[in-house]
């Protein structure tokens, strides 16, 4: 074939390809067309194999023509590919319409009990302050619950606790202080420990009374530990826990295992002392939170510690109370309701 | 430790609300010390240094508008038979008052409510008004209308009141203007002296630095103290329980209502007036803290008072009308014949004072506090006397109290007081001595700037402690009414509280930098709870107490082995042996509001041990409810598998539990598996038993599990080894075979894994099907997916041929499998 014929054929092939490109309706189809025409066995390659039959100058001319045709096809391909891509994007865009204001799919997440959460917070602060965590028994002996705490059988202070008894004479612990004697006896001095635990008192349950409640006991024994250390330690903890400079007010109280006995109160952050009734502090502006005191020398002696050499302090704070204040929970009974409507809020 | 708020402990079942509060009259305190501060200041200082003042009542406006008048004329009402018209003078004015009562006469002193007065007791505003043609300019009042008593039979006649005067305010006559403070006395359990106005006044003077004059309670009457008396003898049989017995005889008494000032004084602090004799005993108790008791001497058999323990099953009807059975641990007061009082608790009804009483025996005794408390508790009988005696009253107080009472009895009953008082005091209480230094006190408080030696000495003296200096030592002699002061720490308390704890400069203990040793069990329980929450389970707290009804419903009532002696209610009568029954209850609560619920609890369960404390096991229970699903077995098992996997517990297998598993009745027979860790039973899981589902009306599926969390902790492996991820492709092959229906697939899988090369990275059970027609009754079809992979190269089928053959051999030879493909 001469140059003219070849040129003619090239034009036919080019038109044919361009028509097919234009007619293509999807990117895979378009790619197939391109592969079919540009591949080793495609019509353009076929024309190229005829190049040696031409004269040298014609070779150059025809070579240029083939390249021009390829370039035209490539442009058409690129253009069509862009068109088809856009077309598909637009198509999906429409297909993907959603009312973005409908709520997302409900996913069930497990919640930890609010008392668990705040107990951990308190534990972490105390650990940072150097206290180790000790777990109490839930049922203990009269000796650990009362006698070793300087409350012998028949002591009038026993009236202060409404105690449960099992039929064989053991006590579901009335306070986490039941661990004090064991800790003092078994741990090396100095002792710094907290005892978070579940406690029990024999009283009817209502919004503000529970027979099952939670305490965090604290015990600190070393040389030269003072009353001011006790108050300073609790103020440091409470300020860290509530993340503010908590103000304390202290009342004398009486617990046979400390001397003196203190009732530590904090300023009510709910009403901030403003006029009007406050359900958290009951209008008193101060909330009783931590009974505490220097450990009674008899308690140290009973645990084999010389009270002339060592001194210490202990407290038992109510964890339920901390949680109630933090979240403004009005009724203690929610804690043991097992009701997910309550639990899922934390 | 105790806190009123967190334990919410004010209302015990035994100690009543009112018994933990004590009312203190400011007028009464003023008898012994000066009071110039406002109630707010007083409350703030008492709160800081003594005990919490719960509340106070201001009686300034009590009886406002009531004036003492005298009837000067009395005539019948012209238009009404039942009415009289009285002319009443109130000094400067004369009033015409119409009156319906018939107990008035000319010259009577009466309380007059003038127009404008509001009588709150009967909610009536007095106005001048026309009563059948006569204008009545006020009202004459009955005791009930004034709120003095329930007596509405006539007008209150004031003729016998001492110092009664026309035109005087009625409130002045009865000394009604007062402020009454209510003290929370739980914090004063160790302070017997504060259960009296005298004791509070002493505290008051120490707090405010005012003068204290106890002498106003002293008697002027001359008396002789003797161990014998012509008409009465006393014999103490038990000197441990009765530390002192002081008694007197008063003859020719007239029993009648007390004068109004005394009635008002008792009423203001919450004590009901009865008659002059009883009122005086109460008055002296409230003033000095010493309980007294008066017997009608005519009702006694013989002339001997015997203080002895009760005999077996001895009975006594106490003045509240209850017949009480006593036991030999209890101390009684007896005459020759029988018990006449429970010592320090309550008197007997047969010897109580009545309006016919003419001769009384007055007891002022001291009883040992532990025994008194025990008796009071055993009988469920707490009285003003037992509240005081159980705090360890001062035996040296019996004489001042009885002489004070005798003086009042002579004055108010017109009785003849015998000049001899019998007093038996076998072992007088010794004075305690404490040696201390000011430095010691300051060091224990930890604030050297808080006080000085001089101030310490003056404070202690205010508390009636005798202080002498011996070089740098202070030698303290503690009065017998302060049994709480025995050691140095007690003295530190006195100084610290009277200075005010709020005034102490705060410090922190000094400690080294040694890190805290973590409590692995605590941190690990946190991890378990966190994993459960991540798996979608929410944490519940249930009581440690359970009831028979729930356990019967769950068919596991035989597990209840630790009953409480004093449960709060039948549904809280046992320590719980398992957690699951309550979780089933929780699901039942929540299914009203949720179609899906997943909960867990991590707490203790209890198991009785012979002659020892119960065993406490930390238990993990899980439950899930799916209203719209037929089954929940694989979900609950999946959760348990994920959990043990997260906890890095190896060798966990699941097997059909035996019929005697303690929890088997909770589960659906065909859908229950026991969890074994290294062959040890660690728990059970499955679907809820249909019987329970039907009983509770459940729809859908409930999956439950309870695991021994202590055992999980024991088997957990905190070391986590990393294995590199291979970049070479996996070769996957599935084998299906028929095996015995009861074959454990865990066992099958473990055998396969043990008998193949390291190229087998996992053998996973894809399905387990039963079809009696296709596979036979006792066979199941199991499909196992074998995954091969090398960390260093791509594998060909030839590489796995050996392993594949091994697997087939094991299936056939060890498990009798018929390979299907």
């Amino acid at each position: 074939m001469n140059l003219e014929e070849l040129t003619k054929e090239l034009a036919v092939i080019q038109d044919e390809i361009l028509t097919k490109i234009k007619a293509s309706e999807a990117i895979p189809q378009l790619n197939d067309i391109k592969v079919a025409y540009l591949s080793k066995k495609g019509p353009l390659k076929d024309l190229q194999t005829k190049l040696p039959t031409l004269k040298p100058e014609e070779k150059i001319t025809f070579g240029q023509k083939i390249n021009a045709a390829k370039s035209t096809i490539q442009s058409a391909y690129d253009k069509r590919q862009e068109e088809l891509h856009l077309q598909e994007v637009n198509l999906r865009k429409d297909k993907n319409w959603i009312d973005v204001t409908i709520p997302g799919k409900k996913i069930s997440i497990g919640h930890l009990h609010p008392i668990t959460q705040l107990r951990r917070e308190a534990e972490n602060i105390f650990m940072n302050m150097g206290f180790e965590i000790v777990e109490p028994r839930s049922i203990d002996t009269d000796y650990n619950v009362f006698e070793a705490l300087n409350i012998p059988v028949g002591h009038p202070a026993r009236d202060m606790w409404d105690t449960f008894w099992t039929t064989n004479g053991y006590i579901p612990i009335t306070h986490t202080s039941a661990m004090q004697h064991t800790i003092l006896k078994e741990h090396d001095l100095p002792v710094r420990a907290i005892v978070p635990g579940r406690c029990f008192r024999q009283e009817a349950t209502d919004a503000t009374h529970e027979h099952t409640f939670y305490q965090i006991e604290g015990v600190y024994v070393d040389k030269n530990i003072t009353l001011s250390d006790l108050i300073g330690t609790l103020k440091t903890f409470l300020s860290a826990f509530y993340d503010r400079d908590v103000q304390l007010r202290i009342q004398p109280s009486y617990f046979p295992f400390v001397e003196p006995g203190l009732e530590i109160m904090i300023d009510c952050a709910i009403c901030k002392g403003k006029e009007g009734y406050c359900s958290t502090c009951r209008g008193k502006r101060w909330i009783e939170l931590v009974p505490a005191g220097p450990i009674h020398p008899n308690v140290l002696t009973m645990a084999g510690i010389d009270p002339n050499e060592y001194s210490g302090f202990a407290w038992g704070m109510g964890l339920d109370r901390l949680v109630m204040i933090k979240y403004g929970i009005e009724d203690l009974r929610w804690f043991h309701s097992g009701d997910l409507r309550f639990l899922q809020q934390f | 430790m105790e806190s009123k708020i967190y334990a919410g402990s004010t209302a015990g079942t035994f100690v009543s609300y009112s018994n933990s509060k004590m009312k203190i009259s400011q007028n009464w305190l003023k008898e012994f010390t000066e009071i110039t501060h406002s109630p707010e200041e007083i409350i703030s200082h008492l709160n800081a240094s003594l005990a919490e003042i719960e509340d106070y009542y201001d009686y300034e406006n009590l009886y406002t508008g009531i004036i003492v008048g005298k009837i000067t004329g009395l005539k019948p009402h012209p238009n009404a038979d039942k009415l009289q018209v009285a002319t009443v003078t109130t000094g400067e004015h004369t009033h015409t008052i119409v009156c319906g009562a018939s107990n008035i006469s000319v010259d009577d002193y009466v309380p007059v409510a003038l127009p404008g007065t509001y009588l709150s007791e009967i909610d009536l505003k007095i106005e001048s008004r026309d009563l059948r043609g006569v204008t009545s300019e006020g009202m004459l009042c009955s005791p009930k209308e004034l709120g003095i008593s329930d007596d509405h039979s006539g007008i209150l006649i004031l003729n016998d009141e001492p110092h009664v005067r026309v035109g005087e305010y009625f409130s002045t006559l009865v000394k009604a203007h007062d402020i009454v403070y209510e003290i929370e006395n739980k914090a004063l359990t160790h302070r017997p002296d504060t259960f009296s106005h005298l004791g509070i006044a002493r505290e008051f003077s120490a707090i405010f630095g005012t003068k204290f004059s106890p002498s106003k309670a002293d008697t002027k009457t001359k008396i002789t103290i003797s161990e014998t008396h012509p008409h009465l003898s006393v014999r103490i049989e038990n000197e441990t329980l009765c530390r002192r017995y002081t008694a007197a005889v008063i003859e020719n008494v007239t029993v009648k209502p007390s004068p109004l000032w005394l009635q008002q004084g008792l009423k203001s602090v919450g004590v009901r007036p009865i008659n002059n004799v009883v009122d005086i005993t109460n008055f002296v108790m409230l003033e000095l803290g010493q309980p007294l008791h008066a017997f009608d001497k005519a009702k006694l058999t013989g002339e001997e008072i015997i203080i002895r323990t009760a005999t077996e099953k001895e009975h006594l009807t106490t003045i509240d009308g209850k017949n009480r059975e006593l036991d030999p641990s209890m101390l009684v007061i007896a005459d020759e014949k029988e018990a006449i009082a429970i010592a320090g608790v309550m008197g007997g009804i047969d010897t109580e004072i009545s309006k016919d009483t003419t001769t009384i025996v007055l007891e002022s005794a001291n009883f040992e506090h532990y025994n008194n408390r025990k008796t009071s508790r055993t009988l469920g009988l707490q009285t003003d006397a037992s509240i005081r005696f159980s705090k360890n009253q001062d035996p040296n107080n019996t004489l001042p109290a009885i002489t004070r009472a005798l003086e009042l009895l002579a004055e108010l009953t017109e009785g003849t007081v015998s000049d001899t008082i019998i007093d038996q005091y076998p072992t007088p209480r010794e004075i305690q001595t404490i040696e201390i230094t000011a430095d010691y006190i300051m060091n224990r408080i930890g604030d050297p700037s808080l006080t000085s030696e001089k101030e310490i000495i003056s404070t202690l003296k205010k508390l009636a402690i005798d202080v002498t200096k011996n070089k740098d030592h202070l030698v303290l002699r503690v009065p017998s009414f302060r049994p709480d002061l025995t050691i140095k720490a007690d003295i530190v308390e006195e100084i610290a509280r009277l200075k005010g704890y709020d005034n102490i400069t705060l410090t922190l203990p000094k400690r080294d930098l040694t890190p805290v040793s973590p409590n692995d069990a605590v941190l690990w329980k946190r991890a378990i709870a966190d994993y459960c929450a991540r798996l979608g389970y929410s944490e519940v707290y249930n009581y440690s107490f359970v009831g028979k009804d729930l356990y019967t419903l769950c068919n596991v009532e035989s597990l209840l082995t630790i009953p409480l002696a004093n449960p709060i209610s039948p549904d809280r009568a046992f320590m719980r042996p398992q957690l699951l029954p309550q979780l089933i209850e929780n699901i039942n609560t929540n299914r009203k509001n949720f179609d899906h619920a997943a909960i867990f609890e991590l707490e203790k369960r209890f198991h009785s041990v012979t002659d020892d404390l119960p065993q406490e096991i930390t238990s993990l229970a899980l439950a899930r409810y799916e209203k719209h699903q037929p089954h929940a077995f694989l979900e609950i098992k999946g959760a348990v598998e994920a959990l043990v996997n997260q906890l890095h517990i190896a060798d966990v297998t699941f097997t059909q539990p035996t019929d005697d598993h303690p929890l088997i009745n909770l589960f659906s027979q065909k859908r229950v598996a026991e969890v074994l860790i290294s062959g040890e039973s660690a728990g059970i899981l499955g679907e809820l038993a249909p019987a329970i589902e039907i009983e509770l009306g459940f729809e859908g599926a409930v999956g439950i599990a309870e695991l021994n969390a202590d055992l999980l902790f024991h088997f957990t492996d905190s070391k986590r080894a990393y294995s590199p991820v291979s970049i070479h492709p996996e070769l996957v092959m599935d084998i299906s075979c028929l095996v015995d229906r009861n074959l454990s697939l865990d066992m099958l899988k473990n055998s396969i894994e043990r008998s193949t090369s390291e190229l087998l990275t996992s053998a996973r059970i894809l399905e387990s099907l039963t079809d009696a027609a296709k596979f036979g009754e006792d066979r199941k079809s199991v499909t196992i997916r074998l995954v091969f992979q090398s960390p260093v190269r791509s594998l060909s089928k030839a590489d796995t041929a050996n392993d594949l053959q091994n697997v087939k051999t094991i299936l056939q030879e060890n498990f009798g499998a018929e390979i299907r493909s």
Side-chain angles (χ1 to χ4, degrees), chain B residues 149-171:
Chain B
S149 74
D150 289 338
D151 182 5
H152 195 46
S153 62
I155 301 304
L156 176 64
I157 306 297
L158 303 172
N159 302 358
D160 290 342
E161 289 301 313
H163 321 299
V164 65
R165 195 167 55 77
V166 170
E168 184 179 36
Y169 288 115
F170 181 75
S171 61

Side-chain angles (χ1 to χ4, degrees), chain A residues 70-190:
Chain A
K70 277 184 179 172
S71 171
T72 307
I73 292 166
Q74 185 64 45
S75 302
Y77 169 86
D78 288 348
K79 185 168 166 244
R80 187 62 188 154
Q81 193 193 33
E82 199 168 313
E83 282 168 9
L84 287 173
H85 180 71
L86 199 67
Q87 195 179 315
E88 197 172 315
V89 166
N90 284 335
L91 195 71
R92 286 201 187 188
K93 222 191 259 171
D94 287 348
K95 217 163 67 183
N96 284 358
W97 183 87
I98 191 165
D99 181 349
V100 297
T101 60
I102 64 165
K105 243 190 182 170
K106 196 159 166 49
I107 293 167
S108 292
I109 291 171
H111 300 257
L112 292 180
H113 196 284
I115 291 181
T116 299
Q117 294 186 31
L118 289 198
R119 191 192 63 228
R120 289 184 187 183
E121 273 185 38
E123 285 171 352
N124 290 348
I125 295 169
F126 279 123
M127 279 199 282
N128 288 340
M129 290 172 73
F131 290 82
E132 62 177 316
I133 306 174
V134 178
E135 295 191 290
R137 280 193 63 89
S138 286
I139 301 179
D140 216 326
T141 57
D142 183 273
Y143 183 79
N144 280 331
V145 176
F146 290 126
E147 283 185 57
L149 293 170
N150 202 27
I151 316 170
V153 175
H155 194 288
R158 288 196 172 204
D159 291 345
M160 292 160 60
W161 290 272
D162 302 307
T163 309
F164 280 115
W165 298 87
T166 67
T167 48
N168 45 8
Y170 298 116
I171 302 174
I173 58 169
T174 55
H175 46 196
T176 43
S177 312
M179 271 311 278
Q180 237 188 66
H181 178 72
T182 309
I183 291 172
L184 293 177
K185 215 163 70 175
E186 292 176 2
H187 289 224
D188 293 334
L189 292 168

Side-chain angles (χ1 to χ4, degrees), chain B residues 34 142 181 265 276 396 460 470 478 481 579 601 716 768:
Chain B
E34 281 167 41
S142 73
Y181 301 94
N276 50 359
N396 291 337
L460 294 175
N470 179 5
V478 178
F481 55 78
L579 271 51
E601 186 176 10
T716 193
S768 172

